[in-house]
């Protein structure tokens, strides 16, 4: 066949396969493709708009300052993200404080150890993201109002907000984008904030505590008390930490070649444990927001079959480490029930904060509060050489003394004044911090 | 083979360019006969519902086209357990299928666990989990039966979060409510008082609230929920809950104002205040 006839045949084939090729406006097709593959929430775009709105006086931006001693890391697409490491305002998690109290106390304890300046106040609310994702009983303006009110309380103290909950973290990123990209939301929000004596304030970066812990982990691990080199740790990265507004989650080439989020895997690595992989690493824990309360058949089945069993059978894990409220709860509480079907699993579940604090020598009961966990955390502690029985005896005595009024509760930072439980007073930081 | 005449006239909406269909864009009512699949008494409501969702400012931003590839459903944890999948929802939305949307919102939408796996993986960057939230939000707004059913066991949580600014109460862990959590939950509820006291942070020592927020904070979050219209939706679904929240709001707002006034005048004596406003 001659070259010409091959070309002619080719043309004919193309014509018969794509009969509309001549009639279609290809430019229009390209535009559609660009539209469909693009995202209106591109992080770079959001950031540009944020600073534009600041210049126009539409919003106040809470900047990360040199006094926050920031560390620069990379996000999914390679953009830099600043992680403040000190002068932090704790945005606590309701589920952690309610059911896994050793989670926030481990964070406070490590901050004390690492001499990090922080503020923890009664002037914070839940992000209401749990309620929203479970029930749908909220709306964009309410969600924005809750976010901005909390951010304002941090802003007025000069301390930078550090978000404890994975859902708050992801949810706040989404709400931030919405406030920045939608004037109509700002217009409805502003009068509500004014009524509360506040304005619209947005922090420059939304930062999760697990990111803080990751950037601090090498330094923290220098104070490690126990050897973890024999420990095989499976990690569950919480969905709302890296799938909700995925672009500003941090990644590090040293952690799975940057194919998994840096935190909490990198933290566990930096503390010297061996990371083990399992096929469902990307799957959800089964929490489901409303499911953990009213559809637990789903939660416990999913947690056990899709997370715990693969981590044990494939990864031979000694411990399950994760970095969000719902995930610790679901993975920890869903194992016992397996016994009903002869599935005897008891894989200890810890947050990265508890894991790190315990490795640094924190009291497993008083600080890591492991008695709130259902799984065999004590077994894990024995494996790394923690004198569990001594700690336990001391703690049981402490509980007894508290019951009988023979002991006063101990505190990680000075108690608040009575008035702080009523009003958010302008002088409060001065009072908390003395002359600092 | 794709119809030449149709593809040479693409619809205005840039989301439609779909070689798997002859007709680009939503099917006309005459072809698909959607409304006849709806019960006559529900037809108007279903239409209004769908129109309301479509006119929300997030709808077009979240829905950017669909390849019908199924990537979303293949990674969906809820799809492994329930008769539910995000792909079907996106397809109903793309095809403007009011009857199927209505069925989806009344039967399936609550199965989603909001993990955002679908959103992260969708090659078209659809914010799928966000679209699910949109349907749920409007189900509550329209006080649909499925929303009522879902919210019924959720009342206490709603009350706590709106009036105290905190979603969680430690003492909700009762062995009879959480028998599947095993003996540890029994231990926990038995020792709740002293366990809480042994947490070394003063904000975390109550059994009835995750952390003790300030009175001002509680009033502020109620103000936000009221002013933004959330309470209007709750009123339609659960009038008793609405009344309860409004009563608490009025009372606490007044207490707060009195305390603020006294403080401004320098007349407030801290020792006269009860240890906690929750005991007022
Ligand atoms: S967010 Fe919902 S629909 Fe999407 S993958 Fe998760 S459970 Fe499925
Ligand atoms: S992943 Fe996206 S494009 Fe594929 S079926 Fe789901 S919504 Fe459609």
């Amino acid at each position: 066949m001659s070259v010409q006839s091959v070309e002619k045949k080719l043309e004919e084939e193309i014509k018969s396969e794509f009969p509309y090729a001549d009639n279609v406006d290809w430019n229009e097709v390209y535009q559609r493709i660009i539209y469909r593959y693009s995202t209106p929430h591109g992080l770079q775009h959001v950031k540009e708009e944020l600073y534009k709105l600041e210049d126009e006086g539409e919003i106040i931006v809470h900047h990360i300052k040199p006094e926050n001693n920031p560390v620069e890391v990379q996000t999914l697409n390679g953009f830099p993200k600043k992680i403040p490491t000190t002068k932090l305002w704790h945005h606590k998690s309701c589920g952690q404080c309610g059911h896994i109290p050793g989670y926030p106390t481990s964070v406070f304890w490590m901050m004390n150890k690492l001499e990090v300046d922080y503020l923890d106040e009664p002037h914070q609310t839940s992000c209401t993201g749990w309620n929203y994702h479970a029930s749908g009983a909220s709306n964009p303006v309410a969600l924005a109002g809750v976010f901005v009110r909390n951010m304002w309380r941090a802003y007025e103290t000069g301390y930078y907000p550090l978000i404890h909950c994975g859902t708050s973290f992801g949810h706040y990123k989404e709400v931030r984008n919405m406030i920045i990209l939608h004037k109509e939301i700002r217009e409805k929000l502003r009068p509500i904030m004014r009524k509360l004596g506040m304005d619209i304030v947005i922090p420059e970066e939304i930062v999760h505590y697990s990111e803080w812990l990751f950037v601090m982990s090498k330094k923290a691990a220098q104070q490690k008390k126990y050897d973890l080199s024999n420990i095989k740790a499976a990690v569950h990265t919480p969905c709302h930490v890296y799938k909700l507004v995925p672009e500003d989650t941090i990644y590090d080439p040293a952690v799975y070649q940057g194919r998994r989020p840096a935190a909490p895997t990198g933290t566990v690595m930096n503390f010297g444990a061996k990371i083990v992989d399992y096929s469902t690493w990307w799957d959800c824990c089964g929490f489901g927001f409303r499911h953990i309360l009213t559809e637990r058949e789903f939660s416990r089945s999913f947690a056990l079959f899709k997370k715990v069993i693969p981590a044990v059978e494939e990864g031979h894990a000694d411990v399950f480490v994760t970095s969000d409220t719902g995930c610790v709860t679901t993975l920890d509480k869903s194992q016992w029930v397996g016994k009903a079907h002869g599935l005897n699993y008891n894989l200890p579940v810890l947050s990265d904060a508890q894991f790190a604090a315990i490795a640094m020598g924190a009291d497993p009961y008083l600080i890591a509060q492991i008695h709130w966990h259902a799984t065999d955390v004590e077994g894990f502690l024995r494996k790394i050489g923690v004198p569990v029985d001594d700690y336990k005896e001391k703690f049981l005595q402490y509980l007894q003394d508290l019951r009988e009024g023979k002991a006063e509760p101990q505190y990680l930072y000075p108690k608040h004044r009575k008035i702080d439980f009523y009003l958010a007073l302008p002088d409060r930081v001065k009072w908390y911090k003395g002359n600092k | 083979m794709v119809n030449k005449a149709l593809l040479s006239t693409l619809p205005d909406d840039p989301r439609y360019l779909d070689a798997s269909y002859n007709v680009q864009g939503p099917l006309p009512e005459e072809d698909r006969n959607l409304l006849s699949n709806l019960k006559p008494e529900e037809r108007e409501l279903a239409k209004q519902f769908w129109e309301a969702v479509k006119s929300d400012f997030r709808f077009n931003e979240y829905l950017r086209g669909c390849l019908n590839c199924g990537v979303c459903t293949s990674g969906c944890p809820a799809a492994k357990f329930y008769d539910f999948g995000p792909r079907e929802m996106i397809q109903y939305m793309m095809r403007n299928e009011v009857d199927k949307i209505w069925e989806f919102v009344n039967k399936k939408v609550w199965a989603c666990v909001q993990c955002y796996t679908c959103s992260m993986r969708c090659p078209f960057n659809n914010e799928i989990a966000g679209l699910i939230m949109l349907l749920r939000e409007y189900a509550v707004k329209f006080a649909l039966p499925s929303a009522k059913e879902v919210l019924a066991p959720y009342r206490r949580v709603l009350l706590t979060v709106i009036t105290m600014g905190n979603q969680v109460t430690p003492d909700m862990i009762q062995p009879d409510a959480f028998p599947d959590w095993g003996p540890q939950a029994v231990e926990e509820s038995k020792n709740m008082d002293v366990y809480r006291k042994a947490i070394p942070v003063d904000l975390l020592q109550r059994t009835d609230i995750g952390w003790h927020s300030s009175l001002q904070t509680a009033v502020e979050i109620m103000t936000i929920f009221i002013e933004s219209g959330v309470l209007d939706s709750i009123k339609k679904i659960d009038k008793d809950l609405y009344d309860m929240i409004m009563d608490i709001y009025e009372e606490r707002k007044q207490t707060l104002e009195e305390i603020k006034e006294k403080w401004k005048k320098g007349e407030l004596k801290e020792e006269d205040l009860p240890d906690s406003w929750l005991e007022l």
Side-chain angles (χ1 to χ4, degrees):
Chain A
M1 211 188 265
S2 72
V3 177
Q4 283 92 339
S5 59
V6 169
E7 275 185 1
K8 196 160 167 245
K9 183 105 182 73
L10 200 66
E11 239 169 64
E12 276 167 20
E13 286 292 324
I14 290 175
K15 266 224 145 71
S16 84
E17 278 309 311
F18 304 104
Y20 49 91
D22 290 341
N23 296 9
V24 164
D25 176 354
W26 284 103
N27 191 38
E28 160 117 31
V29 172
Y30 294 142
Q31 289 308 318
R32 278 168 197 245
I33 291 168
I34 290 166
Y35 172 85
R36 285 158 55 141
Y37 286 88
S38 69
T39 160
H41 296 111
L43 185 60
Q44 214 173 7
H45 175 62
V46 168
K47 282 281 169 71
E48 277 165 18
E49 291 297 309
L50 172 84
Y51 295 121
K52 229 191 269 168
L53 291 174
E54 182 187 28
D55 288 344
E56 291 163 8
E58 267 272 306
I59 57 166
I60 299 169
V61 175
H62 188 164
H63 287 274
I64 297 172
K65 303 202 182 86
E67 69 198 36
N68 298 114
N69 208 2
V71 174
E72 200 169 283
V73 283
Q74 271 186 16
T75 55
L76 181 62
N77 294 345
F79 296 126
K81 178 171 183 177
K82 276 188 277 182
I83 307 294
T85 59
T86 190
K87 226 181 160 204
L88 301 166
W89 191 87
H90 286 288
H91 183 292
K92 297 176 293 303
S93 151
C94 43
Q96 288 172 23
C97 293
H99 303 306
I100 329 160
Y103 202 153
T105 50
S106 292
V107 175
F108 298 145
W109 183 86
M110 275 190 286
M111 289 200 170
N112 289 351
K113 268 258 186 202
L114 297 165
E115 296 181 349
V116 168
D117 186 14
Y118 65 83
L119 212 56
D120 178 32
E121 300 201 283
H123 310 306
Q124 182 215 328
T125 69
S126 298
C127 68
T128 70
W130 183 354
N131 165 58
Y132 175 65
H133 289 286
S135 74
S138 193
N139 65 40
V141 178
L143 296 170
V146 170
F147 165 65
V148 169
R149 200 209 64 85
N150 278 326
M151 294 305 108
W152 177 273
R153 285 286 172 238
Y155 172 72
E156 66 179 3
T157 65
Y159 280 65
Y160 199 85
L162 184 72
I163 317 292
H164 287 201
C165 181
T167 287
S168 308
F169 172 64
H171 172 73
Y172 276 174
K173 290 197 282 185
E174 197 171 56
V175 171
R176 169 201 63 191
N177 292 2
M178 190 176 68
I179 298 174
I180 292 172
L181 299 175
H182 294 280
K183 197 173 186 330
E184 65 270 34
I185 292 293
R186 295 195 298 276
E187 276 168 3
K188 286 186 189 146
L189 179 60
R190 202 180 312 280
I192 301 177
M193 300 324 292
R194 287 273 153 79
K195 204 166 173 184
L196 303 176
M198 300 173 182
D199 210 328
I200 302 179
V201 65
I202 297 181
E204 191 173 15
E205 302 278 8
I206 310 280
V207 184
H208 192 226
Y209 87 88
S210 73
E211 301 180 316
W212 171 85
L213 183 54
F214 170 66
V215 302
M216 297 296 281
S217 57
K218 283 196 176 140
K219 190 175 162 201
Q222 288 169 1
Q223 301 194 34
K224 198 169 66 174
K225 217 172 139 189
Y226 305 103
D227 178 22
L228 303 178
S229 58
N230 286 326
I231 291 300
K232 294 196 279 298
V235 167
H236 166 69
T237 312
C239 294
H240 281 196
V241 168
Y242 78 109
K243 295 173 184 165
L244 184 46
V245 193
E247 268 185 294
D248 48 353
T249 303
I250 66 172
Y251 288 75
D252 187 307
V255 180
Y256 280 113
Q257 299 96 42
R259 292 184 223 179
R260 309 263 170 99
T265 303
T267 303
V268 178
M269 277 166 53
N270 289 340
F271 269 88
K274 186 181 165 359
I275 299 287
V276 291
D277 207 5
Y278 58 106
S279 55
T280 54
W281 66 270
W282 54 273
D283 235 331
C284 147
C285 67
F287 181 67
F289 302 89
R290 52 180 287 275
H291 298 64
I292 191 71
L293 296 175
T294 54
E295 298 254 339
R296 283 215 299 290
E297 208 175 313
F298 167 82
S299 291
R300 61 194 182 221
S301 305
F302 205 84
L304 194 57
F305 289 114
K306 292 289 174 189
K307 300 301 294 195
V308 174
I309 294 179
V312 173
E313 302 299 341
E314 299 171 18
H316 309 287
D318 299 307
V319 63
F320 219 153
V321 182
T322 182
S323 53
D324 182 25
T325 317
C327 315
V328 173
T329 306
T330 312
L331 297 173
D332 183 62
K333 310 294 184 203
S334 302
Q335 300 185 39
W336 181 84
V337 70
K339 288 184 205 301
H341 295 281
L343 299 162
N344 289 306
Y345 288 90
N346 198 347
L347 177 63
V349 178
L350 287 170
S351 66
D352 54 350
Q354 291 166 300
F355 179 83
I358 288 170
M360 288 167 76
D363 185 320
Y365 298 95
L366 192 63
I367 302 302
Q369 300 267 324
I370 60 160
H371 46 289
W372 295 79
H373 292 236
T375 49
D376 183 25
V377 180
E378 287 176 1
F380 164 72
L381 298 180
R382 289 203 170 89
K383 214 173 265 176
I384 62 171
V386 179
V388 178
D389 299 321
D390 299 350
Y391 277 120
K392 195 168 187 171
E393 203 189 307
K394 227 174 72 197
F395 185 69
L396 288 174
Q397 187 58 50
Y398 177 51
L399 291 184
Q400 194 52 36
D401 290 349
L402 281 176
R403 271 197 201 98
E404 292 169 6
K406 285 191 205 150
E408 279 297 310
Q410 306 174 17
Y411 293 104
L412 280 163
Y413 64 83
K415 283 169 71 177
H416 295 85
R417 302 169 294 183
K418 209 197 275 182
I419 189 72
D420 296 322
F421 288 96
Y422 288 85
L423 303 175
L425 296 179
D427 76 336
R428 61 192 199 270
V429 181
K430 227 159 107 202
W431 188 86
Y432 297 145
K433 295 294 165 185
N435 302 321
K436 228 187 248 171
Chain B
M1 195 181 285
V2 180
N3 185 307
K4 182 175 171 172
L6 280 169
L7 266 177
S8 58
T9 52
L10 294 170
D12 288 340
D13 190 332
R15 286 176 287 209
Y16 295 100
L17 174 70
D18 199 332
S20 45
Y21 291 104
N22 257 342
V23 181
Q24 295 291 300
L27 285 165
E29 171 63 19
E30 311 79 82
D31 290 0
R32 172 68 171 68
N33 209 5
L34 309 159
L35 292 176
S36 67
N37 293 332
L38 289 162
K39 285 187 209 135
E41 67 272 21
E42 288 181 343
R43 226 168 262 169
E44 261 324 292
L45 187 61
K47 257 171 39 187
Q48 270 174 22
F49 175 84
W50 179 225
E51 288 309 319
V53 170
K54 278 195 294 184
S55 63
D56 188 283
F57 73 97
R58 290 162 290 180
F59 183 78
N60 286 336
E61 188 179 303
Y62 288 179
L63 184 67
R64 311 191 65 75
C66 180
L67 183 65
N68 217 344
C69 64
V71 163
C72 49
T73 297
S74 77
C76 170
K80 294 187 171 116
F81 200 85
Y82 303 98
D83 175 18
F84 163 88
R87 185 202 58 83
E88 54 167 310
M89 177 193 77
I90 296 293
Q91 280 296 315
Y92 301 150
M93 288 179 166
M94 288 293 291
R95 316 302 293 172
N96 205 21
E97 295 185 347
V98 59
D99 56 338
K100 299 304 278 181
I101 291 284
W102 184 246
E103 186 185 293
F104 190 84
V105 86
N106 285 311
K107 286 206 186 117
K108 299 186 176 183
V109 76
W110 301 97
C112 164
V113 298
Q114 286 290 294
C115 69
Y116 281 74
T117 307
C118 51
S119 302
M120 192 184 187
R121 290 182 169 185
C122 171
F124 282 1
N125 277 313
N126 285 331
E127 186 53 277
I128 305 169
L131 287 161
I132 288 171
M133 281 318 301
L134 217 57
L135 292 183
R136 289 183 180 180
E137 246 182 60
Y138 279 87
V140 172
K141 239 189 214 157
F142 275 71
L144 300 186
S146 81
K148 277 190 185 158
E149 203 181 298
V150 160
L151 288 180
Y154 209 74
R155 292 184 87 198
R156 190 173 149 186
V157 176
L158 268 177
L159 177 71
T160 321
V161 74
I162 297 176
T163 59
M164 306 213 260
N166 192 301
Q167 163 113 17
V168 169
T169 53
D171 57 13
M172 74 195 249
I173 305 300
Q174 298 292 337
D176 50 341
F178 291 81
D180 50 339
W181 284 14
Q184 186 272 335
V186 180
E187 258 327 275
E188 196 176 302
S189 78
K190 229 170 46 196
N191 294 303
M192 191 54 79
D193 276 333
V194 68
Y195 272 18
R196 294 299 290 180
K197 229 181 253 166
I199 302 169
V201 173
D202 63 347
L203 302 181
L204 309 188
Q205 293 181 329
R206 290 186 69 100
T207 60
D208 57 355
I209 189 80
W211 67 78
H212 193 328
S213 53
S214 62
L215 175 63
Q216 183 171 346
T217 302
V219 172
E220 283 169 352
I221 194 172
M222 283 189 272
T223 310
I224 291 170
F225 271 82
I226 294 167
E227 295 283 324
S228 61
V230 178
L231 265 289
D232 298 334
S233 304
I234 291 179
K235 191 178 182 176
K236 278 196 245 163
I237 287 215
D238 191 336
K239 178 76 169 47
D240 290 347
L241 181 63
Y242 169 83
D243 289 340
M244 214 173 347
I245 294 173
M246 292 312 281
D247 284 352
I248 294 174
Y249 174 65
E250 290 305 333
E251 207 175 289
R252 290 192 181 155
K253 198 174 88 169
Q254 204 187 333
T255 314
L256 176 70
E257 269 158 20
E258 285 163 16
I259 293 175
K260 250 190 196 161
E261 226 15 73
K262 274 196 192 159
W263 178 78
K264 270 190 199 145
K265 290 191 200 141
E267 290 168 2
L268 187 73
K269 287 202 200 83
E270 233 182 303
E271 58 273 21
D272 294 345
L273 292 169
D275 275 348
S276 165
W277 58 269
L278 290 163
E279 265 121 47
L280 281 177

